[in-house]
Amino acid sequence: MNGFRVMTSGVILGAMLLSGCSNSSEPDEAQQEKGPVLNENPDANTGETQNTEVIKKGVGDVIQSIKGLESEISTEADSGKIQEMGKEISSTWDSIEKQVEDEYPDWYERIEKNLYPLIGESGNADKDLEKMKRLSEATKEDLQLFLEKVK
């Protein structure tokens, strides 16, 4: 009985640790290399402006990816295509996620409340298309409001 508790605790702990991992197939170093090079001169405002532009472009890309997913959902495309679109959304968000989290932590939390369940649902074998529609609409709305904030 005691061994069962230890094993169960280990499985739960392992699942919690794994759930915090990014589902990106690239290591963090590779993602950082693809990111923009920001001006590290603290006296220059160009780095901040450039970072804002990167965030705005990335958010626009995420919105476009979500629109593509909605198109697939409305035509009830095959499950594999929907899953692929979910991975695309995840990858696009991953490219700006850290910047949004660092500079706009409240917006980051708000966006991810709908975004991650949407990505997760796209990967489910039995997809709830109505739920995905609701989550995609809510995520797009949050992202649009966020874009207005960073302009």
Side-chain angles (χ1 to χ4, degrees):
M1 188 65 145
N2 202 14
F4 177 75
R5 286 183 184 169
V6 171
M7 186 182 300
T8 303
S9 297
V11 169
I12 291 172
L13 180 61
M16 288 173 44
L17 290 173
L18 288 175
S19 68
C21 295
S22 173
N23 65 355
S24 173
S25 62
E26 296 179 317
D28 289 341
E29 297 83 22
Q31 287 178 349
Q32 289 173 354
E33 288 174 12
K34 289 182 183 177
V37 177
L38 301 178
N39 186 347
E40 294 182 2
N41 182 354
D43 296 329
N45 289 330
T46 58
E48 185 176 309
T49 302
Q50 185 180 12
N51 200 32
T52 299
E53 291 303 314
V54 168
I55 289 173
K56 287 171 29 179
K57 182 189 179 321
V59 168
D61 292 345
V62 173
I63 291 171
Q64 289 305 315
S65 294
I66 291 172
K67 287 179 179 180
L69 176 66
E70 287 177 326
S71 175
E72 293 299 324
I73 292 170
S74 68
T75 61
E76 296 187 21
D78 68 279
S79 181
K81 182 67 174 171
I82 291 174
Q83 183 175 5
E84 182 181 313
M85 297 297 294
K87 287 179 181 179
E88 178 184 322
I89 293 168
S90 178
S91 175
T92 306
W93 175 249
D94 285 349
S95 70
I96 59 166
E97 178 179 19
K98 184 66 175 153
Q99 293 164 308
V100 174
E101 182 179 23
D102 290 346
E103 294 181 35
Y104 305 94
D106 292 339
W107 278 102
Y108 172 78
E109 281 187 37
R110 180 176 173 172
I111 292 165
E112 290 207 337
K113 282 183 182 175
N114 292 310
L115 178 64
Y116 276 117
L118 174 63
I119 293 168
E121 188 65 34
S122 72
N124 286 343
D126 295 324
K127 294 167 184 30
D128 183 341
L129 298 181
E130 288 303 315
K131 180 179 180 181
M132 290 181 72
K133 287 177 186 177
R134 287 191 308 273
L135 290 169
S136 66
E137 281 299 318
T139 304
K140 276 192 330 188
E141 182 179 322
D142 288 342
L143 290 169
Q144 292 288 357
L145 291 171
F146 175 64
L147 271 180
E148 292 173 16
K149 165 72 176 151
V150 296
K151 286 186 179 181

